[in-house]
Amino acid sequence: MIRFENVTKKYSGTKRPAINEMNLEVARGEFVFLVGASGSGKSTCLRLILKEEKPSKGSIFVLGNDLGSISSRKIPYFRRNLGVVFQDFRLLPNKTVFENVAFTLQVIGKSRGYVQEAVPDVLKMVGLENKADRLPHELSGGEQQRVAIARAVVNKPQILLADEPTGNLDPATSAGIMQILERINAGGTTVLMATHEAGIVDKMQRRVIELVDGIIVRDELEGGYGTTG
Ligand code: ADP
Ligand code: ADP
């Protein structure tokens, strides 16, 4: 589903590579935490998968595509298979909850009828069916992140990438977000989540890939945040 073969990413003007000779394989349906200190390369990893950055060396395969041979014209189509969630939500501030989620479907040309069915369905999945007409600033942080998740998955992507999705939320709110991500994963979506929140990783006991300076130092199938021995 996702494969890195000897991937190195060095940003221009920097001394050390952000990702260093990385080999990685994620199978369909997995839930994977990418952990490590700030600057260890987690976000770079996600951006490489999205083809927002390209590797300096090595090859990346996502959903059967060699990213090195996807033309820029085809990138938007490739990205339709990937949902993305960020720490800072990135909602459109002047659109309602419904419109924020619907927008994703409208830009890819889904019919009005499809949008009218799919949006309420996904809002229900994240527990926001009663807030469809609110604007983002009328919602709590946790609710805004639920909208962002709804938007990321409304098109039923095969992979969901989440970059510190609970980074701005308190622990109770974060637990609710993690339940939603688990539900999405249980539905068959592969989830790759970058985080440095030990409590969440310890509780979930899923696959943990730990990065130090762009190198995988640990890859455990049911791991916690820190090395368990
Ligand atoms: P993390 O997500 O784990 O905090 P990042 O992938 O953001 O790590 O960063 C990894 C390394 O790459 C850091 O040293 C960071 O400063 C550097 N880096 C990230 N983005 C850029 C960029 N656009 N240009 C130059 N260096 C960058
Ligand atoms: P928390 O502080 O627990 O993160 P808030 O106090 O921001 O949450 O919001 C609590 C509830 O009030 C939420 O359901 C949210 O939708 C609603 N709410 C918050 N601000 C507004 C507002 N300006 N207008 C309407 N509803 C709001």
Side-chain angles (χ1 to χ4, degrees):
M1 179 128 294
I2 300 172
R3 192 162 85 245
F4 279 42
E5 290 180 356
N6 286 309
V7 172
T8 293
K9 171 65 189 178
K10 196 174 159 304
Y11 291 101
S12 58
T14 62
K15 267 199 258 160
R16 263 192 351 217
I19 296 291
N20 199 344
E21 296 283 330
M22 183 180 288
N23 287 288
L24 169 65
E25 197 155 349
V26 175
R28 181 182 298 272
E30 278 196 288
F31 194 118
V32 182
F33 286 113
L34 209 50
V35 309
S38 177
S40 59
K42 304 183 296 296
S43 299
T44 298
C45 220
L46 300 182
R47 288 203 296 270
L48 286 166
I49 293 167
L50 285 160
K51 205 173 151 89
E52 286 176 2
E53 295 287 348
K54 67 174 203 275
S56 318
K57 270 189 350 194
S59 306
I60 301 175
F61 300 85
V62 178
L63 297 165
N65 301 286
D66 177 348
L67 297 197
S69 54
I70 296 186
S71 65
S72 40
R73 194 171 47 84
K74 291 204 168 139
I75 291 174
Y77 298 93
F78 161 70
R79 289 195 185 133
R80 288 182 189 178
N81 300 300
L82 308 175
V84 194
V85 177
F86 303 95
Q87 176 168 357
D88 56 358
F89 321 135
R90 303 194 190 179
L91 301 174
L92 298 165
N94 300 319
K95 289 188 183 290
T96 65
V97 166
F98 187 99
E99 290 164 347
N100 263 279
V101 177
F103 189 68
T104 305
L105 296 173
Q106 287 158 350
V107 295
I108 65 173
K110 294 286 187 188
S111 72
R112 198 185 134 82
Y114 183 92
V115 172
Q116 291 299 329
E117 276 198 17
V119 175
D121 274 0
V122 78
L123 288 179
K124 195 162 179 210
M125 191 273 293
V126 301
L128 288 179
E129 61 271 39
N130 298 323
K131 305 219 165 163
D133 298 328
R134 301 291 183 90
L135 290 168
H137 77 268
E138 298 174 325
L139 302 177
S140 70
E143 289 171 333
Q144 290 185 54
Q145 191 59 295
R146 286 168 190 248
V147 177
I149 293 171
R151 178 181 60 182
V153 302
V154 68
N155 190 35
K156 306 191 190 317
Q158 298 191 61
I159 300 174
L160 178 63
L161 303 175
D163 196 352
E164 303 276 2
T166 60
N168 284 336
L169 307 176
D170 61 57
T173 306
S174 299
I177 294 295
M178 293 314 299
Q179 276 178 7
I180 292 170
L181 296 181
E182 278 195 294
R183 206 177 303 150
I184 290 165
N185 177 245
T189 304
T190 304
V191 178
L192 187 53
M193 168 171 161
T195 184
H196 56 247
E197 290 182 76
I200 286 174
V201 179
D202 288 342
K203 184 150 184 291
M204 296 270 292
Q205 292 294 305
R206 299 299 193 110
R207 183 173 172 193
V208 177
I209 296 172
E210 180 178 352
L211 300 183
V212 174
D213 294 341
I215 295 171
I216 295 177
V217 297
R218 180 167 61 106
D219 186 348
E220 258 188 300
L221 269 185
E222 293 176 22
Y225 187 86
T227 308
T228 48

